Amino acid sequence: MDIIVCVKRVPDTSEADLAIDKGGKDIQKGGLDYDINDWDRFAIEEAVLIKEKTGGKVTVVTVGDEDAEEMLREGLARGADEAFLLWDESFEGSDGYATAHILAAFLKQRSYDLVLTGTLADDDCGGQFGGMLAAMLGVPVATLVHKIEVKNGSITVRRELEAGLSERLDIDLPAVVSVATGINEPRFVSIRAVRKVASIEIPTVDRGELGLDEADVGSAGAKVEIEKVFLPPEGEGAEIIAGSPADAAARLAEILKEKGGIA
Amino acid sequence: MKTIYVLAEHRQQHLRDTTWDALAAGRDLAQKTGAELACLLLGSGVDAMADQLAKECPKVVVVDDPRLANFNSEPFVKTLTGLLAGQDSYVLVIGNSNSIIDLAPGLSVALDAALATDCIGFEVDGGKVKALRQIYSYKVNALVSFKGASRIVATLRSGFFSFAPSGAAPGAIEKVASPLGDEPLRKRFLSYVEAEKGDVDIASADIIVAIGRGIGDEEDLSMFESLADAMGGVVACSRPIVDKGLLPKYRQVGTSGVEVKPKVYLALGISGAFQHLGGIKGNPLIVAVNKDPRAPIFRAAQYGIVANLADVVPALEEKIKELKG
Ligand SMILES: Cc1cc2nc3c(=O)[nH]c(=O)nc-3n(C[C@H](O)[C@H](O)[C@H](O)COP(=O)(O)OP(=O)(O)OC[C@H]3O[C@@H](n4cnc5c(N)ncnc54)[C@H](O)[C@@H]3O)c2cc1C
């Protein structure tokens, strides 16, 4: 099976102290660490696991500037066969819709059986990319998938519903599948594996090669626009127990005892 | 906007709560924009649900087709595009859920509409609708506009729109023939699969010690197990802990895991994402230990300690044992 995996590089915001940028439309990204979006790492692993069983080729691709190359190389070290960077200055400011548009143009130029991606990206929290891409390609989609079984010309997937419930679906190929975290255990990449792929060339594909107009991409091609961003009001939050960690822990033990937290 | 449409979500012949969230938001938007309000109910054998909706909405458009029994996105997208073809000037609001995550993005492309997912509020400014959503690990609010789009699809985070029965006169039910053709579906629903049951049932525990990604690369959970033992509680967790294979799925608290209703919930190294908090019911005492003072968990908790887990957990256990005597 030929599988194309769409990945994204995102800032790690879950533990960072965030501040709003001067323009008021984004956060300050200067001091943040960047990495592959957590959900997408599972997508790469799933593609490589399927390839190991059925044969074929795995391609990783992203819309991003040269800073995203390292992430693609990690994808190669994880077992992908080739990687492409889709970039053009005019891509700057693309929203989920414009990004799906760019990747749809790339995919229309290639043959594939399956497109894999993560269900959600931790930066825009949109959860929209896979579904939009599939609609643009005219193929079926399933999101939040935590199990894939490859059949002949189709796949059977399990997708996550609420409260532990899942649904099983049969899907004809080609298709787009957005995976859920936990679908597999992404392998550890050794330094040796990274070195082995150091010489693989990662081509950059620009807007012209994709046959896209300037009006289709970047902020011009976006359907939504961020007017302003702000940190949510702190509101009525927790009472923070002051003191050294040990003192605070001791006070917390007393509170727990008072409130029935010790049986 | 001319029309605010609300898509009803159901499962196994029951309307889901997401439908009422969406109706609440839809009513509010209809009032603020002066638009008409209509519910769209797509399903199989849906008369009872249609009657239920008509009590709360002036118009209910119904499509009855066996292929719409489950929320399979393929026939839903086709039916909705058929229903809304040629229409302009509408907002389609849908309560977000795991079924809707499968549906809304593709639907928005098929309708050539602008999409905002997981909205927590709306603003209407000079007749134009803007949506409030959360980005960057849900820690930052963003107000988004739709560049003058005349077709908008918006999905809603549950818990942010509260529904009150209207008591108005019953609405009209309009049955529309299914626009689905004979072509075979490329995506076919097979069955539901129930969650696996485990050796503990965290849903019935009174005291829960929940661990999250903040425990770091530590694979030895004995520090947390022994704290839970000292408290007389059980260990539960957030999703990343299950994803890493450290604990089984039946210990995961959250919308896609287990709903718990303890008296006390101690959250250790958990950021407090809404999908996690959505699994904590019954207003327990929530206490959080997290090194990030802005972690959303501190907005849900009554008490908190801003510190490293390693500096707090052993001291806490020791003091608890001392208090127990
Ligand atoms: C459809 C869907 C369904 C989902 N269902 C669920 C669900 O059922 N349950 C669930 O939990 N999640 C669910 N999620 C995932 C959810 O969005 C969050 O990603 C997840 O809850 C985050 O888990 P966490 O808080 O452990 O990790 P993070 O968000 O990474 O937070 C880790 C926290 O630990 C703190 N920390 C780090 N190091 C330390 C330290 N040394 N000492 C103290 N604190 C530290 C950090 O400051 C941070 O706040 C779902 C997501 C989606 C899209």
Side-chain angles (χ1 to χ4, degrees), chain A:
Chain A
M1 270 221 317
D2 289 339
I3 306 175
I4 300 183
V5 191
C6 304
V7 298
K8 183 178 193 182
R9 184 173 172 268
V10 297
D12 181 356
T13 47
S14 77
E15 299 187 10
D17 204 3
L18 303 178
I20 307 300
D21 179 62
K22 271 207 202 82
K25 298 196 177 204
D26 206 344
I27 53 168
Q28 289 173 13
K29 291 185 176 151
L32 298 175
D33 292 332
Y34 279 75
D35 202 352
I36 181 170
N37 178 46
D38 200 29
W39 297 68
D40 302 344
R41 191 178 279 126
F42 292 92
I44 297 181
E45 180 66 28
E46 194 62 19
V48 174
L49 289 174
I50 294 174
K51 179 185 81 168
E52 286 168 356
K53 265 195 231 137
T54 67
K57 189 171 74 177
V58 172
T59 304
V60 281
V61 58
T62 192
V63 174
D65 64 13
E66 73 234 15
D67 288 340
E69 212 185 293
E70 195 188 323
M71 166 186 72
L72 293 177
R73 204 163 294 285
E74 189 192 307
L76 294 169
R78 288 181 182 281
D81 304 282
E82 54 174 7
F84 293 89
L85 190 64
L86 313 186
W87 190 244
D88 195 285
E89 262 170 37
S90 58
F91 291 177
E92 188 78 53
S94 295
D95 66 350
Y97 179 84
T99 304
H101 210 130
I102 295 166
L103 276 151
F106 174 79
L107 285 156
K108 281 178 186 161
Q109 296 179 345
R110 313 181 70 79
S111 74
Y112 56 88
D113 301 298
L114 183 61
V115 179
L116 290 181
T117 188
T119 296
L120 194 96
D122 292 326
D123 55 354
D124 63 23
C125 302
Q128 57 190 359
F129 172 76
M132 285 183 166
L133 181 68
M136 290 171 185
L137 295 170
V139 304
V141 65
T143 59
L144 285 168
V145 167
H146 63 94
K147 189 168 180 185
I148 304 178
E149 267 175 85
V150 178
K151 303 272 173 65
N152 199 2
S154 71
I155 48 177
T156 300
V157 302
R158 280 190 194 191
R159 61 180 305 275
E160 185 178 300
L161 298 173
E162 290 81 10
L165 190 69
S166 296
E167 59 181 353
R168 279 173 64 241
L169 301 162
D170 242 348
I171 299 173
D172 292 343
L173 297 176
V176 175
V177 168
S178 304
V179 303
T181 54
I183 183 173
N184 51 44
E185 284 184 46
R187 66 198 66 193
F188 173 78
V189 265
S190 65
I191 304 209
R192 229 183 86 229
V194 178
R195 272 204 211 112
K196 248 174 75 187
V197 298
S199 60
I200 298 181
E201 201 208 329
I202 298 180
T204 301
V205 184
D206 66 18
R207 185 168 54 78
E209 288 164 88
L210 294 171
L212 288 166
D213 286 334
E214 219 159 321
D216 296 333
V217 299
S219 33
K223 291 227 183 227
V224 296
E225 197 168 24
I226 292 191
E227 302 244 314
K228 66 170 178 195
V229 302
F230 54 99
L231 296 173
E234 300 244 351
E236 293 236 329
E239 176 186 333
I240 301 296
I241 304 170
S244 72
D247 290 348
R251 175 74 195 113
L252 179 57
E254 284 163 5
I255 293 170
L256 287 173
K257 182 161 190 223
E258 259 167 58
K259 312 258 176 185
I262 302 175

Side-chain angles (χ1 to χ4, degrees), chain B residues 206-230:
Chain B
D206 279 340
I207 298 173
I208 291 180
V209 175
I211 55 175
R213 182 147 42 201
I215 67 166
D217 292 328
E218 185 56 73
E219 297 203 348
D220 176 8
L221 304 182
S222 53
M223 173 165 84
F224 307 105
E225 281 155 3
S226 93
L227 173 64
D229 282 345

Side-chain angles (χ1 to χ4, degrees), chain B residues 213-274:
Chain B
R213 182 147 42 201
I215 67 166
D217 292 328
E218 185 56 73
E219 297 203 348
D220 176 8
L221 304 182
S222 53
M223 173 165 84
F224 307 105
E225 281 155 3
S226 93
L227 173 64
D229 282 345
M231 290 171 66
V234 301
V235 174
C237 63
S238 66
R239 179 172 187 138
I241 299 295
V242 175
D243 292 346
K244 281 200 230 172
L246 292 177
L247 285 176
K249 186 93 181 171
Y250 56 77
R251 294 216 188 223
Q252 177 185 314
V253 175
T255 51
S256 59
V258 180
E259 273 191 7
V260 297
K261 36 179 189 341
K263 296 201 175 80
V264 173
Y265 193 87
L266 176 58
L268 303 174
I270 289 178
S271 62
F274 72 94

